[in-house]
Tab-separated table of all heavy atoms in Angstrom:
chain	number	residue	atom	x	y	z
A	956	MET	N	88.304	97.338	75.689
A	956	MET	CA	88.389	96.701	77.006
A	956	MET	C	88.121	97.727	78.103
A	956	MET	O	88.587	98.856	78.008
A	956	MET	CB	89.822	96.162	77.132
A	956	MET	CG	90.122	95.001	77.999
A	956	MET	SD	89.128	93.751	78.692
A	956	MET	CE	88.105	92.968	77.629
A	957	LYS	N	87.373	97.338	79.074
A	957	LYS	CA	87.045	98.275	80.150
A	957	LYS	C	88.140	98.261	81.209
A	957	LYS	O	88.804	97.246	81.394
A	957	LYS	CB	85.725	97.863	80.780
A	957	LYS	CG	84.554	98.027	79.835
A	957	LYS	CD	83.267	97.713	80.557
A	957	LYS	CE	82.083	97.695	79.605
A	957	LYS	NZ	81.938	98.950	78.858
A	958	ASN	N	88.292	99.374	81.874
A	958	ASN	CA	89.267	99.382	82.968
A	958	ASN	C	88.557	99.214	84.315
A	958	ASN	O	87.325	99.219	84.393
A	958	ASN	CB	90.126	100.650	82.921
A	958	ASN	CG	89.295	101.908	83.093
A	958	ASN	OD1	88.310	101.925	83.847
A	958	ASN	ND2	89.668	102.956	82.396
A	959	CYS	N	89.345	99.073	85.361
A	959	CYS	CA	88.805	98.751	86.679
A	959	CYS	C	87.813	99.812	87.168
A	959	CYS	O	86.833	99.490	87.821
A	959	CYS	CB	89.943	98.607	87.680
A	959	CYS	SG	90.944	97.157	87.367
A	960	ARG	N	88.083	101.045	86.806
A	960	ARG	CA	87.204	102.107	87.266
A	960	ARG	C	85.823	101.985	86.647
A	960	ARG	O	84.809	102.161	87.315
A	960	ARG	CB	87.815	103.461	86.909
A	960	ARG	CG	87.895	104.321	88.162
A	960	ARG	CD	88.722	105.494	87.898
A	960	ARG	NE	87.870	106.671	87.784
A	960	ARG	CZ	88.368	107.874	87.578
A	960	ARG	NH1	89.662	108.033	87.439
A	960	ARG	NH2	87.581	108.907	87.510
A	961	GLU	N	85.807	101.697	85.356
A	961	GLU	CA	84.520	101.510	84.679
A	961	GLU	C	83.775	100.318	85.260
A	961	GLU	O	82.553	100.332	85.394
A	961	GLU	CB	84.744	101.290	83.189
A	961	GLU	CG	85.096	102.562	82.445
A	961	GLU	CD	85.386	102.242	80.994
A	961	GLU	OE1	86.455	101.681	80.705
A	961	GLU	OE2	84.534	102.535	80.164
A	962	ILE	N	84.531	99.274	85.551
A	962	ILE	CA	83.923	98.059	86.069
A	962	ILE	C	83.280	98.294	87.431
A	962	ILE	O	82.125	97.908	87.654
A	962	ILE	CB	84.975	96.930	86.156
A	962	ILE	CG1	85.474	96.539	84.767
A	962	ILE	CG2	84.421	95.715	86.877
A	962	ILE	CD1	84.394	96.085	83.806
A	963	THR	N	83.989	98.966	88.317
A	963	THR	CA	83.396	99.214	89.634
A	963	THR	C	82.175	100.119	89.511
A	963	THR	O	81.183	99.938	90.214
A	963	THR	CB	84.417	99.835	90.609
A	963	THR	OG1	85.096	100.897	89.957
A	963	THR	CG2	85.438	98.814	91.057
A	964	ARG	N	82.241	101.061	88.572
A	964	ARG	CA	81.079	101.931	88.348
A	964	ARG	C	79.893	101.101	87.842
A	964	ARG	O	78.778	101.243	88.324
A	964	ARG	CB	81.432	103.024	87.341
A	964	ARG	CG	80.324	104.039	87.149
A	964	ARG	CD	80.738	105.157	86.198
A	964	ARG	NE	81.142	104.642	84.886
A	964	ARG	CZ	80.299	104.304	83.916
A	964	ARG	NH1	79.014	104.402	84.102
A	964	ARG	NH2	80.741	103.849	82.768
A	965	LEU	N	80.164	100.224	86.898
A	965	LEU	CA	79.095	99.368	86.365
A	965	LEU	C	78.506	98.490	87.457
A	965	LEU	O	77.294	98.297	87.528
A	965	LEU	CB	79.637	98.478	85.244
A	965	LEU	CG	79.696	99.097	83.854
A	965	LEU	CD1	80.225	98.071	82.873
A	965	LEU	CD2	78.333	99.588	83.421
A	966	LEU	N	79.373	97.968	88.310
A	966	LEU	CA	78.890	97.089	89.372
A	966	LEU	C	77.953	97.836	90.310
A	966	LEU	O	76.946	97.288	90.746
A	966	LEU	CB	80.075	96.509	90.160
A	966	LEU	CG	80.833	95.385	89.459
A	966	LEU	CD1	82.105	95.062	90.213
A	966	LEU	CD2	79.962	94.159	89.332
A	967	SER	N	78.261	99.086	90.603
A	967	SER	CA	77.340	99.809	91.474
A	967	SER	C	76.098	100.248	90.717
A	967	SER	O	75.009	100.268	91.287
A	967	SER	CB	78.001	100.989	92.185
A	967	SER	OG	79.132	101.414	91.523
A	968	GLU	N	76.251	100.576	89.452
A	968	GLU	CA	75.070	100.937	88.665
A	968	GLU	C	74.123	99.752	88.504
A	968	GLU	O	72.911	99.923	88.404
A	968	GLU	CB	75.479	101.463	87.293
A	968	GLU	CG	75.860	102.925	87.344
A	968	GLU	CD	76.211	103.461	85.979
A	968	GLU	OE1	75.780	102.873	84.982
A	968	GLU	OE2	76.927	104.472	85.929
A	969	ALA	N	74.693	98.567	88.483
A	969	ALA	CA	73.877	97.363	88.311
A	969	ALA	C	72.882	97.194	89.457
A	969	ALA	O	71.887	96.487	89.324
A	969	ALA	CB	74.781	96.137	88.220
A	970	GLN	N	73.145	97.851	90.585
A	970	GLN	CA	72.204	97.789	91.698
A	970	GLN	C	70.933	98.577	91.368
A	970	GLN	O	69.873	98.290	91.897
A	970	GLN	CB	72.808	98.401	92.972
A	970	GLN	CG	74.224	97.986	93.273
A	970	GLN	CD	74.295	96.581	93.805
A	970	GLN	OE1	73.584	96.224	94.730
A	970	GLN	NE2	75.152	95.777	93.221
A	971	GLU	N	71.091	99.583	90.526
A	971	GLU	CA	69.971	100.499	90.290
A	971	GLU	C	69.291	100.323	88.940
A	971	GLU	O	68.153	100.703	88.764
A	971	GLU	CB	70.451	101.940	90.402
A	971	GLU	CG	70.477	102.449	91.816
A	971	GLU	CD	71.839	102.986	92.179
A	971	GLU	OE1	72.413	103.707	91.363
A	971	GLU	OE2	72.345	102.654	93.263
A	972	ARG	N	70.033	99.796	88.000
A	972	ARG	CA	69.431	99.660	86.669
A	972	ARG	C	69.909	98.364	86.018
A	972	ARG	O	70.902	97.784	86.434
A	972	ARG	CB	69.806	100.852	85.802
A	972	ARG	CG	71.282	100.893	85.439
A	972	ARG	CD	71.566	102.048	84.496
A	972	ARG	NE	72.990	102.147	84.213
A	972	ARG	CZ	73.580	101.534	83.195
A	972	ARG	NH1	72.893	100.777	82.382
A	972	ARG	NH2	74.867	101.663	83.001
A	973	GLU	N	69.164	97.962	84.991
A	973	GLU	CA	69.529	96.795	84.208
A	973	GLU	C	70.684	97.174	83.291
A	973	GLU	O	70.595	98.158	82.567
A	973	GLU	CB	68.310	96.391	83.376
A	973	GLU	CG	68.412	95.030	82.752
A	973	GLU	CD	68.045	93.953	83.744
A	973	GLU	OE1	67.349	94.234	84.729
A	973	GLU	OE2	68.461	92.816	83.520
A	974	LEU	N	71.762	96.387	83.307
A	974	LEU	CA	72.876	96.676	82.406
A	974	LEU	C	72.563	96.146	81.014
A	974	LEU	O	71.862	95.155	80.869
A	974	LEU	CB	74.150	96.016	82.930
A	974	LEU	CG	74.663	96.490	84.290
A	974	LEU	CD1	75.949	95.754	84.644
A	974	LEU	CD2	74.884	97.983	84.333
A	975	SER	N	73.133	96.815	80.019
A	975	SER	CA	72.938	96.342	78.646
A	975	SER	C	73.773	95.077	78.425
A	975	SER	O	74.661	94.762	79.214
A	975	SER	CB	73.366	97.425	77.662
A	975	SER	OG	74.764	97.510	77.645
A	976	LEU	N	73.461	94.402	77.337
A	976	LEU	CA	74.170	93.158	77.050
A	976	LEU	C	75.671	93.399	76.911
A	976	LEU	O	76.481	92.653	77.460
A	976	LEU	CB	73.603	92.546	75.772
A	976	LEU	CG	74.140	91.164	75.433
A	976	LEU	CD1	73.726	90.146	76.483
A	976	LEU	CD2	73.660	90.715	74.066
A	977	SER	N	76.041	94.450	76.201
A	977	SER	CA	77.462	94.707	75.994
A	977	SER	C	78.142	95.100	77.303
A	977	SER	O	79.302	94.754	77.541
A	977	SER	CB	77.671	95.787	74.930
A	977	SER	OG	77.209	97.018	75.392
A	978	GLU	N	77.425	95.785	78.166
A	978	GLU	CA	77.995	96.124	79.472
A	978	GLU	C	78.235	94.864	80.293
A	978	GLU	O	79.272	94.710	80.940
A	978	GLU	CB	77.049	97.066	80.220
A	978	GLU	CG	77.124	98.483	79.740
A	978	GLU	CD	76.066	99.369	80.378
A	978	GLU	OE1	74.962	98.871	80.675
A	978	GLU	OE2	76.342	100.544	80.563
A	979	ARG	N	77.251	93.978	80.250
A	979	ARG	CA	77.397	92.727	81.002
A	979	ARG	C	78.541	91.883	80.464
A	979	ARG	O	79.264	91.247	81.226
A	979	ARG	CB	76.090	91.931	80.949
A	979	ARG	CG	75.027	92.489	81.862
A	979	ARG	CD	74.025	91.421	82.247
A	979	ARG	NE	73.391	90.831	81.084
A	979	ARG	CZ	72.221	91.243	80.595
A	979	ARG	NH1	71.566	92.213	81.176
A	979	ARG	NH2	71.704	90.671	79.540
A	980	MET	N	78.687	91.863	79.140
A	980	MET	CA	79.783	91.093	78.543
A	980	MET	C	81.135	91.667	78.946
A	980	MET	O	82.047	90.935	79.299
A	980	MET	CB	79.663	91.099	77.023
A	980	MET	CG	78.379	90.455	76.568
A	980	MET	SD	78.606	89.040	75.511
A	980	MET	CE	79.496	89.742	74.155
A	981	GLY	N	81.243	92.982	78.869
A	981	GLY	CA	82.490	93.631	79.252
A	981	GLY	C	82.824	93.351	80.702
A	981	GLY	O	83.968	93.080	81.068
A	982	LEU	N	81.781	93.404	81.520
A	982	LEU	CA	81.922	93.131	82.946
A	982	LEU	C	82.450	91.719	83.164
A	982	LEU	O	83.405	91.494	83.900
A	982	LEU	CB	80.536	93.271	83.581
A	982	LEU	CG	80.447	93.580	85.059
A	982	LEU	CD1	80.952	94.972	85.337
A	982	LEU	CD2	79.003	93.479	85.501
A	983	ARG	N	81.823	90.786	82.507
A	983	ARG	CA	82.183	89.384	82.645
A	983	ARG	C	83.626	89.116	82.223
A	983	ARG	O	84.370	88.430	82.904
A	983	ARG	CB	81.286	88.560	81.751
A	983	ARG	CG	80.669	87.407	82.495
A	983	ARG	CD	79.730	86.728	81.578
A	983	ARG	NE	78.460	86.555	82.254
A	983	ARG	CZ	77.787	85.406	82.205
A	983	ARG	NH1	78.231	84.418	81.494
A	983	ARG	NH2	76.675	85.272	82.847
A	984	MET	N	83.979	89.687	81.075
A	984	MET	CA	85.332	89.480	80.574
A	984	MET	C	86.356	90.076	81.515
A	984	MET	O	87.393	89.490	81.776
A	984	MET	CB	85.476	90.114	79.186
A	984	MET	CG	85.031	89.154	78.101
A	984	MET	SD	84.833	89.995	76.532
A	984	MET	CE	86.517	90.343	76.102
A	985	HIS	N	86.044	91.232	82.027
A	985	HIS	CA	86.980	91.870	82.937
A	985	HIS	C	87.095	91.071	84.232
A	985	HIS	O	88.186	90.828	84.730
A	985	HIS	CB	86.538	93.306	83.229
A	985	HIS	CG	87.526	94.060	84.059
A	985	HIS	ND1	88.470	94.901	83.518
A	985	HIS	CD2	87.740	94.069	85.390
A	985	HIS	CE1	89.217	95.392	84.491
A	985	HIS	NE2	88.799	94.911	85.635
A	986	LEU	N	85.972	90.636	84.749
A	986	LEU	CA	85.987	89.888	86.009
A	986	LEU	C	86.749	88.581	85.871
A	986	LEU	O	87.357	88.100	86.821
A	986	LEU	CB	84.555	89.601	86.482
A	986	LEU	CG	83.772	90.816	86.975
A	986	LEU	CD1	82.400	90.389	87.460
A	986	LEU	CD2	84.501	91.552	88.075
A	987	ALA	N	86.717	88.002	84.672
A	987	ALA	CA	87.432	86.749	84.450
A	987	ALA	C	88.941	86.948	84.581
A	987	ALA	O	89.668	86.034	84.934
A	987	ALA	CB	87.093	86.190	83.078
A	988	MET	N	89.392	88.174	84.300
A	988	MET	CA	90.835	88.419	84.308
A	988	MET	C	91.314	89.180	85.537
A	988	MET	O	92.476	89.139	85.871
A	988	MET	CB	91.225	89.259	83.086
A	988	MET	CG	90.850	88.638	81.771
A	988	MET	SD	91.378	89.735	80.443
A	988	MET	CE	91.063	91.345	81.166
A	989	CYS	N	90.425	89.918	86.148
A	989	CYS	CA	90.865	90.858	87.173
A	989	CYS	C	90.370	90.420	88.545
A	989	CYS	O	89.181	90.413	88.824
A	989	CYS	CB	90.350	92.254	86.847
A	989	CYS	SG	90.812	93.456	88.080
A	990	ARG	N	91.313	90.073	89.374
A	990	ARG	CA	90.978	89.561	90.680
A	990	ARG	C	90.397	90.641	91.595
A	990	ARG	O	89.480	90.393	92.369
A	990	ARG	CB	92.246	89.008	91.298
A	990	ARG	CG	91.917	88.133	92.437
A	990	ARG	CD	93.146	87.456	92.931
A	990	ARG	NE	92.710	86.434	93.869
A	990	ARG	CZ	93.530	85.696	94.560
A	990	ARG	NH1	94.821	85.838	94.392
A	990	ARG	NH2	93.079	84.815	95.383
A	991	GLY	N	90.959	91.828	91.496
A	991	GLY	CA	90.490	92.926	92.341
A	991	GLY	C	89.016	93.201	92.131
A	991	GLY	O	88.248	93.313	93.090
A	992	CYS	N	88.613	93.290	90.876
A	992	CYS	CA	87.220	93.579	90.571
A	992	CYS	C	86.330	92.402	90.919
A	992	CYS	O	85.166	92.569	91.257
A	992	CYS	CB	87.069	93.949	89.094
A	992	CYS	SG	87.750	95.577	88.747
A	993	ARG	N	86.881	91.196	90.810
A	993	ARG	CA	86.106	90.013	91.183
A	993	ARG	C	85.782	90.079	92.671
A	993	ARG	O	84.663	89.828	93.091
A	993	ARG	CB	86.906	88.759	90.869
A	993	ARG	CG	86.028	87.571	90.566
A	993	ARG	CD	86.699	86.618	89.614
A	993	ARG	NE	87.970	86.166	90.134
A	993	ARG	CZ	89.056	85.992	89.401
A	993	ARG	NH1	89.017	86.216	88.120
A	993	ARG	NH2	90.190	85.588	89.928
A	994	ASN	N	86.771	90.421	93.469
A	994	ASN	CA	86.534	90.564	94.902
A	994	ASN	C	85.486	91.628	95.171
A	994	ASN	O	84.596	91.444	95.997
A	994	ASN	CB	87.834	90.953	95.628
A	994	ASN	CG	88.769	89.773	95.762
A	994	ASN	OD1	88.347	88.627	95.677
A	994	ASN	ND2	90.037	90.049	95.949
A	995	PHE	N	85.611	92.738	94.444
A	995	PHE	CA	84.651	93.822	94.617
A	995	PHE	C	83.240	93.349	94.267
A	995	PHE	O	82.287	93.619	94.999
A	995	PHE	CB	85.053	95.011	93.748
A	995	PHE	CG	84.156	96.198	93.912
A	995	PHE	CD1	84.282	97.021	95.013
A	995	PHE	CD2	83.189	96.485	92.965
A	995	PHE	CE1	83.447	98.114	95.165
A	995	PHE	CE2	82.349	97.579	93.115
A	995	PHE	CZ	82.481	98.397	94.211
A	996	ALA	N	83.139	92.618	93.173
A	996	ALA	CA	81.838	92.116	92.739
A	996	ALA	C	81.245	91.177	93.791
A	996	ALA	O	80.043	91.206	94.065
A	996	ALA	CB	81.972	91.386	91.405
A	997	GLU	N	82.100	90.354	94.377
A	997	GLU	CA	81.621	89.432	95.404
A	997	GLU	C	81.121	90.188	96.625
A	997	GLU	O	80.111	89.842	97.218
A	997	GLU	CB	82.748	88.485	95.820
A	997	GLU	CG	82.758	87.224	95.001
A	997	GLU	CD	84.038	86.434	95.214
A	997	GLU	OE1	84.554	86.402	96.346
A	997	GLU	OE2	84.530	85.856	94.234
A	998	GLN	N	81.858	91.226	96.976
A	998	GLN	CA	81.437	92.032	98.114
A	998	GLN	C	80.082	92.668	97.855
A	998	GLN	O	79.230	92.701	98.738
A	998	GLN	CB	82.466	93.125	98.395
A	998	GLN	CG	83.632	92.611	99.217
A	998	GLN	CD	84.782	93.608	99.233
A	998	GLN	OE1	84.555	94.810	99.119
A	998	GLN	NE2	85.990	93.120	99.347
A	999	MET	N	79.912	93.194	96.644
A	999	MET	CA	78.631	93.803	96.292
A	999	MET	C	77.509	92.781	96.388
A	999	MET	O	76.426	93.075	96.894
A	999	MET	CB	78.661	94.364	94.872
A	999	MET	CG	79.636	95.489	94.680
A	999	MET	SD	79.075	97.022	95.408
A	999	MET	CE	78.051	97.610	94.078
A	1000	ALA	N	77.763	91.579	95.888
A	1000	ALA	CA	76.746	90.535	95.899
A	1000	ALA	C	76.405	90.151	97.327
A	1000	ALA	O	75.226	89.974	97.670
A	1000	ALA	CB	77.248	89.322	95.127
A	1001	THR	N	77.415	90.033	98.163
A	1001	THR	CA	77.192	89.683	99.563
A	1001	THR	C	76.374	90.758	100.254
A	1001	THR	O	75.408	90.474	100.968
A	1001	THR	CB	78.534	89.514	100.295
A	1001	THR	OG1	79.342	88.615	99.553
A	1001	THR	CG2	78.339	88.991	101.695
A	1002	LEU	N	76.760	91.990	99.998
A	1002	LEU	CA	76.071	93.119	100.589
A	1002	LEU	C	74.593	93.120	100.215
A	1002	LEU	O	73.717	93.364	101.025
A	1002	LEU	CB	76.718	94.406	100.073
A	1002	LEU	CG	76.865	95.524	101.088
A	1002	LEU	CD1	77.996	95.189	102.043
A	1002	LEU	CD2	77.174	96.823	100.373
A	1003	ARG	N	74.352	92.822	98.940
A	1003	ARG	CA	72.996	92.827	98.435
A	1003	ARG	C	72.172	91.728	99.103
A	1003	ARG	O	71.025	91.913	99.449
A	1003	ARG	CB	73.005	92.625	96.928
A	1003	ARG	CG	71.723	93.081	96.311
A	1003	ARG	CD	71.949	93.620	94.955
A	1003	ARG	NE	72.149	92.511	94.018
A	1003	ARG	CZ	72.074	92.659	92.706
A	1003	ARG	NH1	71.841	93.828	92.195
A	1003	ARG	NH2	72.245	91.658	91.915
A	1004	LYS	N	72.807	90.567	99.269
A	1004	LYS	CA	72.133	89.449	99.917
A	1004	LYS	C	71.745	89.832	101.337
A	1004	LYS	O	70.640	89.563	101.791
A	1004	LYS	CB	73.076	88.241	99.957
A	1004	LYS	CG	72.616	87.109	99.061
A	1004	LYS	CD	73.530	85.923	99.228
A	1004	LYS	CE	74.380	85.718	97.987
A	1004	LYS	NZ	75.489	84.789	98.203
A	1005	ILE	N	72.674	90.459	102.037
A	1005	ILE	CA	72.416	90.857	103.417
A	1005	ILE	C	71.258	91.847	103.457
A	1005	ILE	O	70.346	91.715	104.270
A	1005	ILE	CB	73.684	91.477	104.041
A	1005	ILE	CG1	74.752	90.384	104.197
A	1005	ILE	CG2	73.367	92.095	105.402
A	1005	ILE	CD1	76.108	90.910	104.579
A	1006	CYS	N	71.289	92.832	102.565
A	1006	CYS	CA	70.222	93.834	102.501
A	1006	CYS	C	68.872	93.175	102.267
A	1006	CYS	O	67.889	93.500	102.920
A	1006	CYS	CB	70.483	94.835	101.384
A	1006	CYS	SG	71.737	96.028	101.817
A	1007	ARG	N	68.847	92.237	101.316
A	1007	ARG	CA	67.596	91.555	100.987
A	1007	ARG	C	67.091	90.751	102.163
A	1007	ARG	O	65.923	90.800	102.500
A	1007	ARG	CB	67.825	90.603	99.824
A	1007	ARG	CG	67.616	91.315	98.518
A	1007	ARG	CD	67.171	90.326	97.473
A	1007	ARG	NE	67.595	90.846	96.175
A	1007	ARG	CZ	68.250	90.158	95.273
A	1007	ARG	NH1	68.557	88.899	95.494
A	1007	ARG	NH2	68.599	90.688	94.147
A	1008	ALA	N	67.993	90.009	102.789
A	1008	ALA	CA	67.610	89.196	103.930
A	1008	ALA	C	67.057	90.090	105.024
A	1008	ALA	O	66.067	89.764	105.673
A	1008	ALA	CB	68.825	88.418	104.440
A	1009	TYR	N	67.672	91.231	105.180
A	1009	TYR	CA	67.256	92.169	106.203
A	1009	TYR	C	65.861	92.721	105.896
A	1009	TYR	O	65.004	92.786	106.764
A	1009	TYR	CB	68.268	93.314	106.280
A	1009	TYR	CG	68.124	94.154	107.513
A	1009	TYR	CD1	68.618	93.684	108.731
A	1009	TYR	CD2	67.507	95.390	107.463
A	1009	TYR	CE1	68.480	94.451	109.871
A	1009	TYR	CE2	67.368	96.161	108.600
A	1009	TYR	CZ	67.849	95.696	109.808
A	1009	TYR	OH	67.706	96.447	110.930
A	1010	ALA	N	65.640	93.088	104.625
A	1010	ALA	CA	64.342	93.624	104.214
A	1010	ALA	C	63.256	92.576	104.408
A	1010	ALA	O	62.158	92.874	104.871
A	1010	ALA	CB	64.394	94.053	102.759
A	1011	ARG	N	63.571	91.344	104.022
A	1011	ARG	CA	62.621	90.244	104.178
A	1011	ARG	C	62.279	90.036	105.638
A	1011	ARG	O	61.133	89.846	105.997
A	1011	ARG	CB	63.229	88.957	103.619
A	1011	ARG	CG	62.579	88.511	102.321
A	1011	ARG	CD	62.653	87.032	102.142
A	1011	ARG	NE	64.006	86.506	102.317
A	1011	ARG	CZ	64.921	86.484	101.355
A	1011	ARG	NH1	64.650	86.934	100.175
A	1011	ARG	NH2	66.110	86.001	101.571
A	1012	ARG	N	63.300	90.069	106.476
A	1012	ARG	CA	63.091	89.856	107.883
A	1012	ARG	C	62.135	90.913	108.442
A	1012	ARG	O	61.251	90.633	109.220
A	1012	ARG	CB	64.444	89.924	108.608
A	1012	ARG	CG	64.413	89.301	109.983
A	1012	ARG	CD	65.518	89.846	110.830
A	1012	ARG	NE	65.319	91.288	110.995
A	1012	ARG	CZ	65.990	92.031	111.856
A	1012	ARG	NH1	66.947	91.494	112.559
A	1012	ARG	NH2	65.759	93.328	111.977
A	1013	ASP	N	62.330	92.148	107.989
A	1013	ASP	CA	61.462	93.226	108.445
A	1013	ASP	C	60.020	93.008	107.995
A	1013	ASP	O	59.094	93.251	108.757
A	1013	ASP	CB	61.963	94.559	107.880
A	1013	ASP	CG	62.957	95.189	108.842
A	1013	ASP	OD1	63.265	94.538	109.853
A	1013	ASP	OD2	63.416	96.309	108.576
A	1014	GLU	N	59.878	92.559	106.753
A	1014	GLU	CA	58.540	92.296	106.232
A	1014	GLU	C	57.807	91.253	107.062
A	1014	GLU	O	56.673	91.419	107.446
A	1014	GLU	CB	58.633	91.759	104.797
A	1014	GLU	CG	58.422	92.812	103.747
A	1014	GLU	CD	58.763	92.253	102.376
A	1014	GLU	OE1	58.406	91.091	102.124
A	1014	GLU	OE2	59.401	92.967	101.586
A	1015	GLY	N	58.520	90.147	107.298
A	1015	GLY	CA	57.908	89.037	108.006
A	1015	GLY	C	57.725	89.333	109.484
A	1015	GLY	O	57.056	88.592	110.192
A	1016	ASN	N	58.318	90.408	109.893
A	1016	ASN	CA	58.352	90.700	111.312
A	1016	ASN	C	57.540	91.946	111.630
A	1016	ASN	O	57.940	92.782	112.424
A	1016	ASN	CB	59.821	90.891	111.739
A	1016	ASN	CG	60.005	90.750	113.228
A	1016	ASN	OD1	59.196	90.123	113.898
A	1016	ASN	ND2	61.057	91.340	113.743
A	1017	SER	N	56.400	92.066	110.982
A	1017	SER	CA	55.627	93.296	111.113
A	1017	SER	C	55.026	93.453	112.510
A	1017	SER	O	54.729	94.554	112.944
A	1017	SER	CB	54.521	93.338	110.060
A	1017	SER	OG	53.833	92.119	110.045
A	1018	GLY	N	54.877	92.338	113.207
A	1018	GLY	CA	54.350	92.401	114.567
A	1018	GLY	C	55.451	92.668	115.577
A	1018	GLY	O	56.460	93.274	115.247
A	1019	ARG	N	55.253	92.211	116.777
A	1019	ARG	CA	56.271	92.375	117.794
A	1019	ARG	C	57.165	91.145	117.828
A	1019	ARG	O	56.805	90.095	117.341
A	1019	ARG	CB	55.615	92.558	119.172
A	1019	ARG	CG	54.903	93.884	119.353
A	1019	ARG	CD	55.827	94.919	119.918
A	1019	ARG	NE	56.844	95.312	118.902
A	1019	ARG	CZ	57.239	96.563	118.739
A	1019	ARG	NH1	56.781	97.494	119.484
A	1019	ARG	NH2	58.136	96.854	117.828
A	1020	GLU	N	58.311	91.314	118.445
A	1020	GLU	CA	59.206	90.169	118.517
A	1020	GLU	C	58.768	89.226	119.613
A	1020	GLU	O	58.357	89.661	120.682
A	1020	GLU	CB	60.634	90.642	118.795
A	1020	GLU	CG	61.414	90.707	117.511
A	1020	GLU	CD	62.791	91.312	117.760
A	1020	GLU	OE1	62.876	92.524	117.770
A	1020	GLU	OE2	63.748	90.540	117.939
B	1687	LIG	ZN1	89.593	95.288	87.400
């Protein structure tokens, strides 16, 4: 079983690389039980969405405002 520290590390690594199947399973199982890490995961997902939306906006906005 993974602990919270491993989980938060995996969550940030997931931004940069593809996680293995066993890593994803461990992550999922832990998130199902651990509220703290679930919140952290949600924050990461939200952050990523904001970043993406921001990048897209910049792309589409290559001209002047
Ligand atoms: Zn946890």
Side-chain angles (χ1 to χ4, degrees):
M956 207 18 50
K957 293 185 187 304
N958 62 36
C959 291
R960 233 168 106 178
E961 285 177 286
I962 295 302
T963 47
R964 185 177 57 81
L965 276 181
L966 284 170
S967 22
E968 278 182 22
Q970 315 285 310
E971 276 125 44
R972 68 176 176 91
E973 193 82 22
L974 297 181
S975 74
L976 187 65
S977 67
E978 282 173 328
R979 284 204 302 265
M980 299 240 300
L982 204 68
R983 230 176 230 225
M984 274 167 71
H985 185 97
L986 290 182
M988 302 180 323
C989 179
R990 196 173 191 184
C992 288
R993 208 150 57 219
N994 285 339
F995 183 78
E997 269 168 37
Q998 278 168 29
M999 296 286 276
T1001 308
L1002 219 75
R1003 200 147 77 164
K1004 248 184 250 167
I1005 292 170
C1006 284
R1007 272 208 207 130
Y1009 194 78
R1011 251 208 309 276
R1012 198 202 62 169
D1013 270 4
E1014 262 170 41
N1016 199 23
S1017 48
R1019 290 269 70 140
E1020 262 174 276

